[in-house]
Amino acid sequence: MSTFISFFIGIASIALMVTVHEAGHFFGARISGITVETFAIGWGRAIKRWRKNGIEYRINIFPLGGYCKLKGAEDLIASQERHESEMVHVSSGSIFAAHPLKRILTYLAGPLMNLIFAALLFIPFFMLPYSSFSDPSSVIVSSEYPLIYGESENAAERGGMKSGDTILSLDGHEVRNFQDISTFMTTYDSHEPIAVNVLRDGSTLELSILPQKTDNRYLLGVSSALTPILSEVDPISPESMAGMKAGDTILSVDEKATPYMADVLSAYLNAAGKMRVEVLHEDGTTEICSFIPERTTEGNVIAHITFKRDTMYNEGLSLPSGVLAAMRETGSMISETLQLFSQLVTGKMEAGSSLAGPLRISYVIGATFSAGMRSFLQLLAMVSISLGIANLIPLPALDGGSIVLSVIEWVRRKRLPVGIYIKYQSVGLVILSLLILFVLFSDARFFLS
């Protein structure tokens, strides 16, 4: 897929999500009795406009964004021109004439619509059939491979598990492949040890393992014990020129046995010079392939090989099951997004690498479209959730800031002074401008890096 088409799909997707957001404000205002003056898709000059029921609808030339203009700006300007400390004359249908609770509903409706939209996207995501990896339930203990996983010890090691064990069940739940282990761990939320039945050297053992909590996730500390069978070898690489090819099984590296894929990856990470790789070809012959691995400018080794993994076909869920799964996934994604924003605020996550602007998001969405409809739907849902939650941040330029003002008016039971509104909007404009400049700079750095 060309870059232009990717950008077009991405921009159209963002326009859709922003339109959904503004549609939330539109319906929230209509329910609250607040007059909607303009509903626009995009910014800038209108390429098409029409009026219906007193509302101007616009499709503007720049599709990245949109707005829902509510009645009330004229009341604020008129009060300022009359040098009034508070708005005395407020027209019917103005947002300032509405009760603070109705305003809160209107401001909340936009983010809420984004969350509902995400849940709707997750329904077909779960209903569509898909293929996935089906890795063996034989496992390696990740702490035995510190170069790859960066662990010195973990839950599996403390519980007595060894690399090469085959997990048969977790708390009585049958395990058919490694994906069953991953699924079980995503649902685990307890402080109790897990009863793990394993097959070791022909005998069945029962271990008791207490998962380790890391970054709000519970980890067992294992990875699939994949056999190092090559699926692809870059034809223009040191590995290929040395004689390695697809279908080969790597038996050893530098005379050290490599029963698992992780052993091969560790050997690459440990490589100091020439590597001697013993391979078993598909015809039953063995060969020693010697080569100096390619490195990046930083000195990191590049492996021009990929490993074979089995796949399995998965039927999509029924509609009722898909709806339930979508609701659970939306709740989970909301929780994860809130945690990410919390890390941004506390400085645990770098804003420059985490915040993306419309150009980068458009590019990523468009590129994901070529990966399949499920991946596309999942990413759209994630972006929609992020958009909804980001707008609830209590800053003057966002819905969250307007909600804060409405809450203050509700508590004090009268409108805020005109000067407060003017200053609030001015600060919001500055914050919005700085935010736009920041994300555009971040996008430029992404594309130029």
Side-chain angles (χ1 to χ4, degrees):
M1 182 182 295
S2 69
T3 303
F4 174 78
I5 295 176
S6 294
F7 265 115
F8 178 80
I9 292 172
I11 289 172
S13 300
I14 290 180
L16 173 61
M17 283 183 284
V18 172
T19 301
V20 166
H21 180 91
E22 297 302 327
H25 291 315
F26 178 91
F27 291 117
R30 300 284 282 178
I31 292 171
S32 301
I34 298 170
T35 300
V36 178
E37 294 183 335
T38 307
F39 183 82
I41 299 174
W43 295 89
R45 184 174 59 85
I47 56 178
K48 182 172 179 58
R49 67 172 75 188
W50 65 98
R51 297 191 69 86
K52 185 176 180 180
N53 298 328
I55 302 172
E56 180 186 24
Y57 296 89
R58 297 166 58 102
I59 299 176
N60 296 327
I61 192 167
F62 299 113
L64 287 178
Y67 56 90
C68 178
K69 183 183 177 184
L70 305 178
K71 187 175 182 179
E74 293 79 3
D75 294 330
L76 186 61
I77 294 171
S79 294
Q80 185 185 25
E81 290 175 347
R82 289 193 294 264
H83 304 289
E84 296 175 348
S85 60
E86 293 187 5
M87 279 181 282
V88 179
H89 306 286
V90 178
S91 57
S92 177
S94 169
I95 192 168
F96 297 109
H99 189 278
L101 280 178
K102 292 185 177 180
R103 274 183 267 161
I104 292 171
L105 170 64
T106 302
Y107 295 131
L108 277 176
L112 180 61
M113 189 67 82
N114 280 124
L115 302 184
I116 294 172
F117 183 60
L120 293 175
L121 290 172
F122 275 130
I123 294 174
F125 168 79
F126 284 109
M127 292 180 65
L128 288 172
Y130 64 99
S131 295
S132 64
F133 290 118
S134 180
D135 298 325
S137 58
S138 296
V139 298
I140 57 171
V141 178
S142 53
S143 60
E144 295 180 11
Y145 299 88
L147 287 177
I148 300 174
Y149 300 102
E151 297 177 348
S152 56
E153 65 170 355
N154 61 25
E157 182 182 11
R158 288 191 292 270
M161 190 171 289
K162 295 182 178 180
S163 292
D165 287 351
T166 299
I167 297 180
L168 303 176
S169 67
L170 297 169
D171 274 347
H173 298 273
E174 181 186 4
V175 171
R176 298 159 299 175
N177 51 47
F178 190 79
Q179 282 63 38
D180 287 342
I181 301 173
S182 299
T183 301
F184 179 88
M185 293 309 301
T186 59
T187 60
Y188 174 86
D189 188 13
S190 173
H191 300 290
E192 299 298 323
I194 299 173
V196 184
N197 283 329
V198 302
L199 180 65
R200 180 187 299 169
D201 299 326
S203 300
T204 302
L205 306 173
E206 182 170 314
L207 306 176
S208 180
I209 300 177
L210 180 63
Q212 180 176 326
K213 190 173 184 180
T214 304
D215 295 331
N216 298 304
R217 294 186 303 148
Y218 288 95
L219 302 177
L220 200 58
V222 296
S223 186
S224 183
L226 292 170
T227 303
I229 302 174
L230 301 179
S231 62
E232 291 183 11
V233 180
D234 189 338
I236 307 176
S237 67
E239 290 91 336
S240 178
M241 295 176 186
M244 295 170 64
K245 53 182 177 289
D248 289 350
T249 301
I250 298 179
L251 302 177
S252 67
V253 178
D254 295 332
E255 299 184 350
K256 183 178 180 180
T258 53
Y260 310 119
M261 182 185 75
D263 293 302
V264 178
L265 296 179
S266 292
Y268 264 92
L269 293 172
N270 235 351
K274 181 179 288 188
M275 295 177 64
R276 288 172 50 84
V277 181
E278 182 183 8
V279 299
L280 173 65
H281 296 308
E282 288 184 301
D283 62 5
T285 61
T286 60
E287 181 182 358
I288 302 294
C289 302
S290 299
F291 61 93
I292 298 175
E294 186 179 345
R295 294 179 181 272
T296 64
T297 54
E298 292 80 17
N300 300 318
V301 175
I302 301 175
H304 291 283
I305 55 177
T306 57
F307 296 94
K308 181 181 177 182
R309 298 176 69 182
D310 293 331
T311 58
M312 62 180 178
Y313 179 81
N314 300 273
E315 292 283 354
L317 299 178
S318 64
L319 179 58
S321 298
V323 170
L324 291 175
M327 293 173 65
R328 286 194 297 267
E329 186 68 13
T330 302
S332 175
M333 287 302 306
I334 290 172
S335 176
E336 290 183 19
T337 304
L338 287 172
Q339 291 170 15
L340 289 175
F341 277 106
S342 174
Q343 291 173 1
L344 281 173
V345 171
T346 57
K348 293 181 179 179
M349 184 177 293
E350 184 184 350
S353 59
S354 305
L355 293 179
L359 295 179
R360 197 195 321 183
I361 295 174
S362 297
Y363 173 78
V364 173
I365 291 176
T368 305
F369 183 78
S370 60
M373 186 53 66
R374 291 187 84 250
S375 298
F376 181 65
L377 290 171
Q378 184 182 40
L379 181 59
L380 283 187
M382 292 169 61
V383 173
S384 187
I385 289 172
S386 297
L387 176 63
I389 292 177
N391 269 279
L392 289 175
I393 297 174
L395 291 176
L398 304 173
D399 294 329
S402 299
I403 291 172
V404 169
L405 285 187
S406 300
V407 169
I408 293 173
E409 288 197 0
W410 183 26
V411 171
R412 72 194 299 261
R413 297 186 177 182
K414 66 176 183 177
R415 298 190 189 99
L416 289 167
V418 173
I420 295 293
Y421 279 112
I422 298 298
K423 291 177 182 177
Y424 203 73
Q425 289 185 355
S426 299
V427 171
L429 182 61
V430 171
I431 291 176
L432 185 60
S433 300
L434 291 174
L435 182 61
I436 290 173
L437 288 174
F438 179 81
V439 296
L440 287 177
F441 174 77
S442 178
D443 285 1
R445 189 171 61 175
F446 170 80
F447 286 110
L448 294 175
S449 61

